[in-house]
Amino acid sequence: MSVYNDYFGPFGGRYVPEILQPPLKELELAFQEALGDPEFIGEFEEFCRDFIGRPTPLLPAKNASREIGGAQIYIKLEGLANTGAHKINNAAGQALLAKRMGKKRIIAETGAGQHGVATAAACARLNLPCVIYMGEEDIRRQHPNVYWMEMYGAEVRSVTSGSRTLKDAVNEAFRDWTANSADTHYLLGSALGPSPYPDMVREFQSVIGREIKDQADFQIDAMVACVGGGSNAIGFLAPFLDQKSIKMYGVEAGGRGKGPGNNAVRMADTGRPGIIQGYKSLFLHDSDGQVLDTHSISAGLDYPGIGPQLAALGKEGRIEFTEASDREALEALKFFARTEGVIFAMESAHAGAAAIRIAKTMSPDQNLIINMSGRGDKDIFISAAALDGENWRDFLEKESRRKYVD
Ligand SMILES: *Cc1c(COP(=O)(O)O)cnc(C)c1O
């Protein structure tokens, strides 16, 4: 069976310069061949078990469900995966594939640094040298992740072109790949980009949904995931797409509210079709094709584009898109910490916030699953500043004055 789609309705494709066609074709063929090889699947499963710590639990959130008084809520704890989020599933799959293809070097882009951390960890484990492209501005804002990437042995290269953020890092990674594709794999971080990336990332992330198939001994009525580029959502949902009785929700970043620059909502008639960074999808951009600024309290959802398959599933009506604001995400973070003892990543807290709303409209004999794409330790500089401002600032000031002696 081929899982290679290329296009999803009107979206997807491979819009790259001529020189990148051969390496993408090589990757497509290697990916298809690897998926059909039990030895490769075995390697991936072993890596998932021994290094990532899979399967991740499916937690019955009994206290939260009781307090909300609607559907029974279950939480898929991707945050318990090694490195703290679902991103490692894709990094592992692609790094193993690169090794099988005989590539000697990995490159990746990163925005907030989460994909860089996952890639660096997988490469450390597999003994592959890796270079992470990161905008100069993001390096400044995301110091802890840079620290971890370097500890894993990755080289973090500062990108100083354009706005010095994620899109510039992607451009730089493609430039590197154009020059070095013979021995280098470009490990792209979400279910987007030119084909075969959307198919490949979905297949590696689908380990999430496949595990739920084994774990859920109940009828699933609704599934809720946050959507940045779309990799955690598509991996969570793809194995269930043909079960029409399941309602599926994608949650985008409502940010500070309506209006350009205040959010990262692409699916509520705000996104427009475009071809950017190698694929056709819905983007927040102006009539000249200039990408607009976005805002979200969660770095992982603060992105102007959406993966082509999710865009198509949204337009077809198979997945319903909704939003959660910065404020609602913070409230959901507190709610699940207090009721269940789990700290959602700020991204995942958007799914949590929408799930609280949706569960209320359902009955107690129905079941809803939230994908907690990551855990919230990484967000302490944001959540503590927002929820515990004075104390947190006081702590940071004292820390900054502390003398470091050995
Ligand atoms: C990066 C990230 C996301 C958003 O990326 P997707 O590709 O949409 O999944 C969501 N949650 C966490 C924890 C992340 O690190």
Side-chain angles (χ1 to χ4, degrees):
M1 189 195 72
S2 171
V3 295
Y4 181 63
N5 289 301
D6 196 359
Y7 273 89
F8 308 91
F11 304 125
R14 180 179 292 170
Y15 298 87
V16 296
E18 206 54 47
I19 190 165
L20 277 175
Q21 297 286 352
L24 284 165
K25 190 73 195 168
E26 182 198 5
L27 184 59
E28 174 198 325
L29 295 175
F31 157 63
Q32 295 217 54
E33 190 236 356
L35 272 196
D37 180 352
E39 195 179 314
F40 179 77
I41 299 300
E43 268 178 40
F44 180 63
E45 284 172 353
E46 189 181 297
F47 196 96
C48 282
R49 185 193 63 214
D50 297 346
F51 181 73
I52 305 181
R54 307 203 68 91
T56 59
L58 181 65
L59 173 75
K62 296 208 168 96
N63 302 324
S65 307
R66 201 177 309 116
E67 198 164 316
I68 292 166
Q72 303 307 313
I73 295 176
Y74 293 79
I75 307 174
K76 179 63 169 166
L77 294 176
E78 282 302 291
L80 293 197
N82 186 10
T83 69
H86 71 289
K87 285 200 171 72
I88 190 69
N89 304 326
N90 169 52
Q94 285 196 48
L96 287 166
L97 181 62
K99 234 183 164 153
R100 178 184 169 95
M101 292 170 77
K103 303 292 177 187
K104 300 281 180 262
R105 175 176 176 264
I106 299 287
I107 57 172
E109 84 295 345
T110 199
Q114 295 301 111
H115 173 56
V117 166
T119 301
C123 287
R125 174 74 196 145
L126 293 173
N127 228 344
L128 283 163
C130 108
V131 171
I132 308 289
Y133 287 97
M134 189 169 184
E136 190 179 38
E137 184 60 21
D138 289 332
I139 288 180
R140 187 183 62 73
R141 289 189 292 202
Q142 307 288 344
H143 186 73
N145 280 336
V146 176
Y147 174 78
W148 292 128
M149 282 183 256
E150 289 178 343
M151 176 156 312
Y152 285 128
E155 180 197 336
V156 180
R157 270 192 207 163
S158 175
V159 176
T160 55
S161 53
S163 57
R164 292 169 284 133
T165 58
L166 177 59
K167 71 174 167 38
D168 312 293
V170 174
N171 290 339
E172 211 51 53
F174 272 117
R175 209 162 290 148
D176 181 321
W177 204 36
T178 302
N180 300 302
S181 64
D183 72 346
T184 299
H185 174 67
Y186 176 15
L187 204 161
L188 208 147
S190 191
L192 40 71
S195 72
Y197 285 103
D199 286 313
M200 198 162 61
V201 176
R202 180 198 59 242
E203 288 309 303
F204 291 135
Q205 290 293 1
S206 291
V207 65
I208 304 172
R210 284 197 304 270
E211 283 176 6
I212 294 172
K213 283 204 155 170
D214 288 339
Q215 293 168 320
D217 53 359
F218 50 84
Q219 175 192 303
I220 305 170
D221 299 292
M223 300 176 79
V224 187
C226 66
V227 182
S231 68
N232 88 86
I234 198 71
F236 173 63
L237 298 173
F240 298 94
L241 281 172
D242 57 357
Q243 295 185 29
K244 299 291 183 224
S245 61
I246 301 179
K247 285 214 69 174
M248 296 178 170
Y249 298 89
V251 188
E252 297 183 282
R256 291 184 285 255
K258 303 239 175 285
N262 284 328
N263 57 61
V265 176
R266 298 134 312 178
M267 295 300 291
D269 291 333
T270 39
R272 305 146 58 103
I275 297 171
I276 294 176
Q277 290 185 324
Y279 65 108
K280 188 169 179 191
S281 190
L282 296 171
F283 296 89
L284 296 173
H285 61 124
D286 65 19
S287 47
D288 298 330
Q290 286 297 315
V291 171
L292 299 173
D293 280 343
T294 52
H295 163 80
S296 170
I297 192 169
S298 66
L301 304 188
D302 196 353
Y303 186 67
I306 181 168
Q309 188 170 11
L310 283 179
L313 289 164
K315 286 292 162 199
E316 283 163 24
R318 178 65 189 96
I319 299 179
E320 184 174 325
F321 278 84
T322 180
E323 348 167 341
S325 68
D326 291 351
R327 188 47 49 197
E328 288 172 305
L330 283 166
E331 287 305 316
L333 173 71
K334 287 197 286 184
F335 176 76
F336 287 106
R338 174 172 63 76
T339 55
E340 298 296 340
V342 289
I343 309 261
F344 279 54
M346 206 53 90
E347 292 83 3
S348 326
H350 287 69
I356 293 171
R357 280 198 315 253
I358 295 160
K360 278 185 188 150
T361 69
M362 298 168 65
S363 69
D365 61 350
Q366 291 186 300
N367 302 301
L368 174 153
I369 305 179
I370 309 171
N371 195 32
M372 187 186 103
S373 51
R375 62 169 176 258
D377 315 36
K378 71 179 176 60
D379 299 316
I380 190 164
F381 286 90
I382 292 156
S383 53
L387 298 171
D388 188 33
E390 279 304 305
N391 288 334
W392 180 248
R393 241 186 312 273
D394 191 44
F395 163 72
L396 289 180
E397 252 164 46
K398 285 192 181 123
E399 269 302 290
S400 72
R401 284 198 299 271
R402 198 153 72 100
K403 290 209 170 54
Y404 293 94
V405 287
D406 49 20

XYZ file of all heavy atoms in Angstrom, residues 85-87 114 190 226-232 300-301 345 347-348 373-374 378, ligand 1:
144
model
N 8.171 16.043 24.311
C 7.073 16.312 23.376
C 7.074 15.287 22.241
O 7.993 14.472 22.119
C 7.197 17.720 22.804
N 6.033 15.375 21.409
C 5.875 14.452 20.284
C 6.947 14.631 19.217
O 7.130 13.750 18.383
C 4.508 14.684 19.636
C 4.434 15.982 18.892
N 4.413 17.204 19.532
C 4.432 16.255 17.558
C 4.379 18.171 18.626
N 4.394 17.628 17.429
N 7.636 15.751 19.177
C 8.547 16.029 18.061
C 9.622 14.955 17.885
O 10.109 14.730 16.792
C 9.194 17.400 18.246
C 8.225 18.544 17.943
C 8.966 19.828 17.650
C 8.004 20.892 17.145
N 7.132 21.404 18.227
N 12.311 23.658 19.855
C 11.818 22.337 20.261
C 12.206 21.260 19.252
O 12.629 20.170 19.629
C 10.301 22.358 20.431
C 9.812 23.232 21.547
C 10.374 22.815 22.877
O 11.185 23.515 23.469
N 9.982 21.650 23.324
N 7.809 19.578 10.774
C 6.363 19.414 10.937
C 5.775 18.814 9.666
O 6.500 18.572 8.696
C 5.704 20.748 11.287
O 4.357 20.518 11.688
N -3.963 20.446 19.276
C -3.559 21.779 18.843
C -2.859 21.678 17.490
O -2.322 20.637 17.133
C -2.643 22.423 19.879
S -1.047 21.597 20.072
N -2.892 22.769 16.734
C -2.313 22.756 15.389
C -1.389 23.948 15.178
O -1.846 25.097 15.096
C -3.420 22.773 14.306
C -2.785 22.714 12.922
C -4.388 21.618 14.495
N -0.093 23.647 15.119
C 0.873 24.639 14.653
C 1.071 24.348 13.179
O 0.260 24.697 12.331
N 2.158 23.638 12.855
C 2.320 23.130 11.486
C 1.395 21.949 11.251
O 0.957 21.706 10.130
N 1.109 21.206 12.315
C 0.123 20.140 12.207
C 0.616 18.730 12.481
O -0.139 17.777 12.310
N 1.858 18.559 12.956
C 2.373 17.189 13.049
C 1.767 16.386 14.195
O 1.487 15.204 14.041
C 3.898 17.184 13.147
O 4.360 17.716 14.372
N 1.552 17.014 15.362
C 0.968 16.208 16.447
C -0.479 15.885 16.123
O -0.958 14.778 16.383
C 1.155 16.884 17.819
C 0.057 17.848 18.200
O -0.968 17.458 18.744
N 0.238 19.132 17.893
N 5.204 27.183 19.636
C 4.961 26.136 18.641
C 3.730 26.372 17.776
O 3.571 25.750 16.733
N 2.823 27.233 18.216
C 1.623 27.508 17.409
C 1.741 28.839 16.674
O 0.849 29.230 15.925
C 0.364 27.542 18.294
C 0.077 26.304 19.144
C -1.291 26.421 19.797
C 0.154 25.025 18.332
N 2.176 21.481 28.015
C 2.928 22.491 27.263
C 1.944 23.590 26.871
O 0.744 23.325 26.720
C 3.542 21.877 26.009
N 1.416 24.948 24.117
C 0.723 24.579 22.860
C -0.441 23.646 23.188
O -1.588 23.889 22.796
C 1.695 23.854 21.904
C 2.813 24.710 21.342
C 4.011 24.826 22.293
O 3.983 24.191 23.377
O 4.962 25.551 21.957
N -0.125 22.578 23.903
C -1.131 21.551 24.225
C -2.261 22.136 25.060
O -3.406 21.664 24.989
C -0.496 20.401 25.001
O 0.825 20.164 24.582
N 0.397 17.286 23.528
C 1.552 17.111 22.639
C 2.882 17.239 23.362
O 3.884 16.676 22.932
C 1.479 18.119 21.490
O 1.283 19.436 21.989
N 2.898 17.988 24.472
C 4.154 18.122 25.216
C 3.883 18.525 26.650
O 2.757 18.853 27.022
N 9.256 23.347 29.847
C 9.974 24.258 28.951
C 9.398 25.670 28.975
O 10.078 26.627 28.607
C 9.932 23.716 27.518
C 8.534 23.812 26.886
C 8.491 23.302 25.458
C 7.092 23.299 24.871
N 6.418 24.590 24.788
C 6.108 22.227 18.119
C 5.008 21.879 19.014
C 3.657 21.929 18.605
C 3.234 22.425 17.264
O 3.705 21.698 16.188
P 2.778 20.694 15.361
O 3.608 20.329 14.191
O 1.534 21.436 14.997
O 2.480 19.543 16.240
C 2.684 21.527 19.498
N 2.995 21.115 20.738
C 4.271 21.060 21.183
C 4.532 20.592 22.572
C 5.322 21.436 20.335
O 6.593 21.377 20.789
